[in-house]
Amino acid sequence: ETAVFQTPNYHVTQVGNEVSFNCKQTLGHDTMYWYKQDSKKLLKIMFSYNNKQLIVNETVPRRFSPQSSDKAHLNLRIKSVEPEDSAVYLCASSLRGYEQYFGPGTRLTVL
Amino acid sequence: GEQVEQLPSSLIVQEGASVLINCSYTDSASVYFPWYKQEPGKRLQFIIDIRSNMERKQNQRLTLLFDKKTKHLSLHITATQPGDSAIYFCSANPLSGSFNKLTFGAGTRLAVCP
């Protein structure tokens, strides 16, 4: 099956903990993204990465960091989570920035 | 940075009606405008796109119009069905590598009543 896969589906954690989310795409795309979707369904791009360049949205707090081992994988690490980090994190991929394919999302709840 | 505004924020229509969703953007560097749909509990799904060198694109019941001068797009959905009920997102993309300028509108919630 060719798609974008994310794990875990849900994660509940305490303030100050570190969390890590995984994303894999089997579509052969060259660019991957992480988005944050808040409770009002607003979508904000956090990072984009292709095999040449990582681009960071300058508004993203430094406790967020992407990690990539190859062009099919882009993980997201959050050091020391805060309550406002509660959201759904969406991973996506595309070919050269065109039509994006999205994963099902990871819902993070910070207590 | 780029700002994308969508109107209306929500719509309720009877099955069979047509709907129009408007989208405007601010940054003339944006050249690619994909639209996505998010049904309840499902992942975001691409539905149609247009590039800045085009004025119109159609995909079955979807028609997307683009006006470069006014920086305005409109998505027309005809013969709506309950399965069209979703949040529709407009987005603007410079495609130039500055992906942090890739911006989504706040979405239009469409409910189609049978």
Side-chain angles (χ1 to χ4, degrees), chain A residues 5 60 68 70 76-77 81 86 106:
Chain A
F5 302 92
V60 173
S68 178
D70 55 54
L76 179 67
R77 185 178 76 156
V81 295
S86 294
T106 294

Side-chain angles (χ1 to χ4, degrees), chain B residues 5 12 32-33 47-48 61 64 67 70-71 73 76-77 100 106:
Chain B
E5 184 179 15
I12 303 174
Y32 175 61
F33 306 90
I47 54 173
I48 194 169
R61 295 183 294 111
L64 184 53
D67 187 329
T70 61
K71 296 189 178 70
L73 300 97
H76 189 218
I77 308 173
N100 59 336

Side-chain angles (χ1 to χ4, degrees), chain A residues 6-76:
Chain A
Q6 289 186 242
T7 57
N9 295 328
Y10 305 92
H11 190 81
V12 181
T13 191
Q14 306 266 359
V15 169
N17 285 350
E18 177 174 315
V19 299
S20 207
F21 304 147
N22 301 312
C23 180
K24 176 180 90 169
Q25 57 95 1
T26 57
L27 295 158
H29 288 163
D30 59 6
T31 307
M32 295 183 73
Y33 313 80
W34 276 104
Y35 290 88
K36 180 180 181 182
Q37 187 171 40
D38 66 19
S39 57
K40 294 181 181 177
K41 301 294 188 181
L42 292 175
L43 279 161
K44 177 179 147 182
I45 188 166
M46 303 178 72
F47 306 98
S48 66
Y49 186 80
N50 65 17
N51 54 9
K52 298 173 188 173
Q53 195 177 14
L54 170 67
I55 299 177
V56 179
N57 187 327
E58 62 272 9
T59 65
V60 173
R62 297 181 75 172
R63 62 180 179 279
F64 289 85
S65 60
Q67 298 168 317
S68 178
S69 55
D70 55 54
K71 68 176 184 177
H73 296 83
L74 183 66
N75 300 331
L76 179 67

Side-chain angles (χ1 to χ4, degrees), chain A residues 3-4 31 33 35 37 40-43 45 48 50 53 55-58 90 96-100 102-104, chain B residues 32 34 36 38 42-46 49 51 87 89 93 95 97-107 109:
Chain A
V4 179
T31 307
Y33 313 80
Y35 290 88
Q37 187 171 40
K40 294 181 181 177
K41 301 294 188 181
L42 292 175
L43 279 161
I45 188 166
S48 66
N50 65 17
Q53 195 177 14
I55 299 177
V56 179
N57 187 327
E58 62 272 9
L90 298 174
R96 294 187 302 277
Y98 292 107
E99 172 186 344
Q100 292 185 41
F102 284 81
Chain B
Y32 175 61
Y36 296 86
Q38 189 173 34
K42 294 193 176 179
R43 60 181 76 192
L44 268 155
Q45 177 189 3
F46 169 85
D49 60 4
R51 301 189 197 189
I87 304 175
F89 293 95
N93 188 339
L95 282 184
S98 300
F99 290 122
N100 59 336
K101 290 188 179 179
L102 197 164
T103 308
F104 279 74
R109 291 175 185 265

